Amino acid sequence: MTSTFRVRRARTADVRGMLQLIEPYVERRILLGKERVTLFEDIQEFRVAETADGELIGCGALHVIWEDLGEIRTIAVADAWLRHGVGHAILEQLEQDAAELGLSRLFCLTFETAFFGEHGFAPIGERVVDPDVYAELVRSPDDGVAEFLDLARVKQNTLGNTRMLKQL
């Protein structure tokens, strides 16, 4: 295994490889499953890590929730590449993307609290937005927004996860 890789924007041709990265985490109930169509629809939110020979070894996404708030989603790294800095590199790129978009806070819902804690994320309580923003966010059909708001309709999928937030 080479130890070099790069992080770049995802392309539609990456979707098959992204599904292969994500599926083992879905099977272990660490990530929620993603439909292929959803990955195509959201491809512009994703970054991927690839080796010098083009093998996909990681992916992750940044989803904008509100004017100042984004969610880190679907970070997955190939088992052979765990503890080689791939997840860290993807998260750091997503944080740069967030800053470029003008976001000042990042949310994640995760079992990987140590990993996100190393990057400055901390567990959060229930109310982290003003009531008027909450009233607008609650109208969103997006499950990530529902997870952020800790709404009952996503509880069955989020049990055991920790809601974490980072100030950029």
Side-chain angles (χ1 to χ4, degrees), residues 66 68-69 105 129-138 148-149:
W66 195 249
D68 64 335
L69 178 66
R105 299 182 299 164
V129 294
D130 295 332
D132 57 332
V133 172
Y134 181 94
E136 290 197 50
L137 286 175
V138 78
F148 174 72
L149 297 176

Side-chain angles (χ1 to χ4, degrees), residues 4-40:
T4 61
F5 62 89
R6 69 179 184 125
V7 176
R8 62 165 173 78
R9 291 201 172 281
R11 299 185 285 259
T12 56
D14 297 323
V15 167
R16 189 175 316 273
M18 291 164 56
L19 281 168
Q20 290 173 349
L21 289 167
I22 295 165
E23 190 56 35
Y25 289 92
V26 173
E27 290 172 3
R28 293 190 302 250
R29 300 180 57 105
I30 295 170
L31 289 177
L32 295 177
K34 296 278 187 189
E35 296 293 334
R36 184 182 310 242
V37 67
T38 303
L39 289 175
F40 281 118

Side-chain angles (χ1 to χ4, degrees), residues 27 51 118 154:
E27 290 172 3
T51 62
E118 289 174 24
V154 294

Side-chain angles (χ1 to χ4, degrees), residues 1 5 7 17-18 20-25 28 30-31 47-49 55-60 74-91 112 115:
M1 166 177 24
F5 62 89
V7 176
M18 291 164 56
Q20 290 173 349
L21 289 167
I22 295 165
E23 190 56 35
Y25 289 92
R28 293 190 302 250
I30 295 170
L31 289 177
R47 294 287 186 157
V48 295
E55 174 191 1
L56 283 190
I57 58 171
C59 66
T74 321
I75 291 185
V77 175
D79 285 343
W81 284 86
L82 291 172
R83 288 173 284 292
H84 287 87
V86 176
H88 294 283
I90 291 169
L91 181 54
E112 304 295 333
F115 172 80

Side-chain angles (χ1 to χ4, degrees), residues 57-74:
I57 58 171
C59 66
L62 169 67
H63 180 76
V64 175
I65 294 177
W66 195 249
E67 177 181 12
D68 64 335
L69 178 66
E71 180 186 8
I72 300 296
R73 294 182 171 178
T74 321

